[in-house]
Amino acid sequence: MTWSKTKQKIIEPAFSNNEGAEGKRILCYDEAIREALQLALSRDKRVFVMGQGVDDPDGMFGATRNLHLEFGPERVFDTPLAEGAMMGVAIGAALAGMRPVYFHNRPDFLLLAMDQLVNHAAKWSYMFGGAAFVPLVVWACIGRGWGSAAQHSQALQGLFMHIPGLKLVMPGTCHDAKGLMLAAIADQNPVLILDHRFNFNYKGMVPPEAYTVPIGKGVIRRKGRDVTIVAVSHLVIDACHAAQEAAAYGVEAEVIDPRTLRPLDEEIILNSVAKTGRLIIADCGWKTGGITAEIGAMVAEKGFTYLKAPIKRIACPDLPTPAACNLDEACSIGRDNIKKALLELTR
Amino acid sequence: MKLPEKTLRQLLFEMMRIRQIQLAIESRYLENEMKTPVHLCIGQEAVAVGVCANLKKYDYINSTHRGHGHYLAKGGDLRALIAELYGREAGCSKGRGGSMHLADTTIGHYGSSSIVGGGIPIGTGMGLAIKMQKKNKVSVIFFGDGAADEGVLYESINFAVLKKLPVIFILENNQYSVCSKVSARQAGDNIFHAMPAGLLMTKKVNGNNVLDVYNASLKAVARARTGHGPSFIECLTYRIRGHAGCEVQDVPGYRPVGEIERWKTLCPIAAFRKKLLTNKMITLNEIKKMEKKIDKQIEDAFAFARTAPPPKPETLPLYLFRE
């Protein structure tokens, strides 16, 4: 398999649906992931896809739809509701030379597999001095809304970012959803991809060929001189919209999409803050000990002298998500929160 | 089943070797130079040896925190084991794993977990890979009675049966999890003994009788290699030493002294040795020669390990990821 020869695309021209994409092919988010899997399954016989419901008619929000028909039930298969053991099964298969992609409906259910993910997958290479390694992709989709409530709405990226030995990827565009999935499959290590359910509303430019987006490299989605916004997953596009709206008030925000939270592209963030002196971090996970805390601490530690104002963090309140629509909405963050923070910071 | 004398002598030799190595580790343990929690398998040698005698070099094994015996029986390098206990770069896990995390991929040992039951699904997944790759290998998983308390065993066997995987589950029942007796933790016989034989071959054997273990696992290996699916073998044995460390470090009071003494008389090595001597398949002189040969290997391994350099501090971040 020639993953090493797969073309790498570092810069993606467009952040939103159509900008810079005239004449280019537009795909939905689910189609982009599905195309990545289809290419990987065709190119590499070690690759297989497993998970509860991957062969459902819905096919994991469309990301795995009908792949079992194309590649057969040996390579695309449903699993028992045994997250702990099945994560171990995926690890074992990876150790023995396969390239499993293990799909989970929700990160909440990943908690049942924490032992295998944290104690085993993340440790295996280091604990045996590199003798064995685990090329494993785990995917889960953060959901929320419609009364999904406390156990179906959690954005647990902060928890996973804490673990050395796990790579953590959160794409924000269709282009990256495909390129990062292929990069994760090509990687020799356990990679966790967390997608947000809202991303599945996106359409965007997606090249048809196989390409990878490098893990550990962020990208500037919008250039600006006044404020840096680091936004994660679906909030990247929200941040771009908020920045456009704030531009009417004379505020030029730079939007950074880290794409990978671990390893984190610290350089791209620090370089931007060096220029703007102001930082907003937006993530849909909890605030305490989360993504915004970590990125904030990193900048305070390494870029303190750049800062002209306190760092602003936009994150989910430290509460379980309630079911009632109005209460759920109060836990949700998006374009308006980012715009408000932008204007406050530059007032 | 009648085995060639050469095989029988080999089984004795392997058990003696594991025992002598364990004793050698134990006798040096209080020097505090092996700074790692050792979990000795003294008294349980017949399980590792009886099973591994049926395996090829390329077959997989998955082991536990009490894994010295499995590693050695499968053919793991002795110098690399002892160097690992001394925390050396030349250790089988480059000093990063310690006693509980041994690996030697050249003999199909892809690492052992110290999370009780942790290796069970991993070995199952290796069985899945074997099936998908259409290889003629088997995946053997060693685990203790403590791991049989864990739900992941149920989940893994269910999956192995569902997918008819070439996996052999070896329950090494040494009757204790740290200080908790199995009867305080489990309601009765393991539920898998009640599975229909067509789905899961199950067997209970005297884990202190190397031939019983050998014969049961011979059938299980044949079944796995011919695509007939998984097996579950419970080997009843006994942990002569405490949970971790050497004999004097075993806390008194959680089990009757008489129980330990009784199990010492059921020693798997003494019994087998006597059997071979009685049947004139080996002489005392030959046994002495074996002991000497093993002692020489042990002296060599300890000399190697003691003088081998520790990992360089600047290598601390290495191996977190595979490049």
Side-chain angles (χ1 to χ4, degrees), chain B residues 157-227:
Chain B
I157 294 188
N158 173 60
F159 187 72
V161 172
L162 179 74
K163 300 280 178 186
K164 248 183 168 181
L165 302 181
V167 179
I168 299 160
F169 296 87
I170 304 289
L171 166 49
E172 192 167 335
N173 182 355
N174 71 10
Q175 308 186 43
Y176 283 90
S177 166
V178 190
C179 299
S180 309
K181 179 108 182 156
V182 67
S183 57
R185 297 179 281 109
Q186 290 175 15
D189 231 8
N190 194 288
I191 187 116
F192 289 110
H193 289 304
M195 280 281 272
L199 296 176
L200 181 74
M201 186 190 98
T202 72
K203 216 155 179 78
K204 259 195 227 177
V205 300
N206 175 1
N208 279 20
N209 183 328
V210 71
L211 291 181
D212 283 4
V213 177
Y214 180 92
N215 287 327
S217 47
L218 178 74
K219 285 194 190 108
V221 169
R223 180 183 157 91
R225 280 207 214 282
T226 50

Side-chain angles (χ1 to χ4, degrees), chain B residues 151-312:
Chain B
V152 79
L153 174 64
Y154 176 90
E155 297 178 10
S156 300
I157 294 188
N158 173 60
F159 187 72
V161 172
L162 179 74
K163 300 280 178 186
K164 248 183 168 181
L165 302 181
V167 179
I168 299 160
F169 296 87
I170 304 289
L171 166 49
E172 192 167 335
N173 182 355
N174 71 10
Q175 308 186 43
Y176 283 90
S177 166
V178 190
C179 299
S180 309
K181 179 108 182 156
V182 67
S183 57
R185 297 179 281 109
Q186 290 175 15
D189 231 8
N190 194 288
I191 187 116
F192 289 110
H193 289 304
M195 280 281 272
L199 296 176
L200 181 74
M201 186 190 98
T202 72
K203 216 155 179 78
K204 259 195 227 177
V205 300
N206 175 1
N208 279 20
N209 183 328
V210 71
L211 291 181
D212 283 4
V213 177
Y214 180 92
N215 287 327
S217 47
L218 178 74
K219 285 194 190 108
V221 169
R223 180 183 157 91
R225 280 207 214 282
T226 50
H228 290 85
S231 302
F232 175 74
I233 302 171
E234 177 171 353
C235 308
L236 184 68
T237 180
Y238 190 77
R239 194 188 75 203
I240 298 288
R241 295 296 190 259
H243 168 62
C246 56
E247 191 168 21
V248 296
Q249 293 173 313
D250 189 14
V251 286
Y254 67 90
R255 53 180 175 175
V257 176
E259 181 185 281
I260 307 173
E261 294 310 315
R262 188 168 62 82
W263 276 95
K264 278 184 180 169
T265 68
L266 302 173
C267 171
I269 301 172
F272 194 58
R273 193 179 120 125
K274 193 174 164 198
K275 187 183 167 102
L276 295 196
L277 281 169
T278 311
N279 290 322
K280 301 201 179 338
M281 289 166 166
I282 200 161
T283 65
L284 264 178
N285 202 25
E286 283 170 314
I287 292 176
K288 284 261 171 326
K289 269 191 196 157
M290 284 182 177
E291 282 170 355
K292 275 197 183 136
K293 183 178 171 186
I294 296 165
D295 278 337
K296 224 173 136 185
Q297 291 178 1
I298 291 172
E299 289 314 315
D300 165 77
F302 275 91
F304 170 78
R306 283 176 192 277
T307 53
K312 293 197 172 87

